[in-house]
Every structure is written in C-alpha cells, then in structure tokens.
Amino acid sequence: MIMDILILILSYVFISIIVGLFYVVVLLSVFFLMKKVFRMNESKWTSLFKMHKGLGLYYALIIPWLITILIMFPIIVTWFEFIGVENNMLASVSIILILLVSTAWKFYKGREDLAKISR
C-alpha cells in the first residue's frame, strides 16, 4: 500500500515534468503555426492578446494546455500499465485531475499579471 502511494507520487513528479515540457513544445508550435498561417505581426498579436479584456491571451495559453492533456492521457495510461499499477485508469485520471486543478489554480492566481500584460 505504501509502495503504491510512493510510486504514484514519483509518477506524478515525473509526469508533471514531462507534461510541462511537452506543453512548452505544443504552445510554441501553436504560436508558430498561427504566425505562419495568419501571417501574424506585432499588431495582430497585440489585438489577439487584448481581445475581450485579455481573454485572448487566456485562450492562447489554455487551448494548447488542453491539447497537451489530450495527447498525454494515453501516454500516462500506458505508463501506469508499464509499471504495473493495478488501477491504471484510476491512477491516470487522478494524475490528470491533479494536473488540471493545479494549472487552473496557477492561471487563476496569475490572472492579474496576465491582465497587465494584455493591456
């Protein structure tokens, strides 16, 4: 029992690092695609980020996060199958929920800073 909890905690740390790095890759890829497809310049980026009093910046950050979670979920399930966790689906869902709640809290706490940036 204690070993399972330790494995879950270590897996969370490992997965959190991997998801964070993958999020940066997805975020930069989305920005690169937007730049190429929509021929974004400084005024277009500014108008996107200021859209709806800063919601554009939130969308630009949250949509790649959701894409990251959708891509990483099957990988996380496979990880828990690989290390032999009995309830791999429950462990995977709990890790995803912890990641979503912690990220939502970070976005909530940083909303004033993001609002200042988007002004």
Side-chain angles (χ1 to χ4, degrees), residues 22-41:
F22 193 72
Y23 171 65
V24 170
V25 169
V26 171
L27 181 68
L28 293 176
S29 299
V30 167
F31 281 169
F32 181 76
L33 280 171
M34 287 175 62
K35 180 183 182 320
K36 291 296 181 184
V37 170
F38 299 114
R39 296 187 179 116
M40 300 291 278
N41 57 22

Side-chain angles (χ1 to χ4, degrees), residues 99-118:
L99 286 171
L100 286 173
V101 167
S102 66
T103 304
W105 178 250
K106 290 173 189 173
F107 275 127
Y108 177 74
K109 281 179 48 178
R111 72 185 185 285
E112 289 141 5
D113 293 335
L114 288 176
K116 289 177 189 174
I117 292 171
S118 64

Side-chain angles (χ1 to χ4, degrees), residues 1 6-8 11 16 36-38 46-47 56-57 59 61-62 67 70 75 84 87 90 92 95 99 103 105 107 117:
M1 180 69 176
L6 182 63
I7 288 174
L8 189 65
S11 292
S16 178
K36 291 296 181 184
V37 170
F38 299 114
T46 303
S47 64
L57 181 59
Y59 294 146
L61 294 174
I62 290 173
I67 292 169
L70 289 175
I75 295 170
N87 298 323
L90 180 64
S92 301
I95 294 292
L99 286 171
T103 304
W105 178 250
F107 275 127
I117 292 171

Side-chain angles (χ1 to χ4, degrees), residues 55-99:
L55 281 179
L57 181 59
Y58 271 119
Y59 294 146
L61 294 174
I62 290 173
I63 290 172
W65 176 250
L66 294 175
I67 292 169
T68 301
I69 293 297
L70 289 175
I71 292 171
M72 291 301 292
F73 183 72
I75 295 170
I76 294 169
V77 170
T78 305
W79 167 254
F80 283 120
E81 286 177 3
F82 178 72
I83 62 173
V85 174
E86 291 178 23
N87 298 323
N88 60 352
M89 191 58 70
L90 180 64
S92 301
V93 170
S94 65
I95 294 292
I96 292 295
L97 287 176
I98 291 170
L99 286 171

Side-chain angles (χ1 to χ4, degrees), residues 11-23:
S11 292
Y12 170 73
V13 171
F14 174 71
I15 290 169
S16 178
I17 292 169
I18 299 299
V19 167
L21 292 173
F22 193 72
Y23 171 65

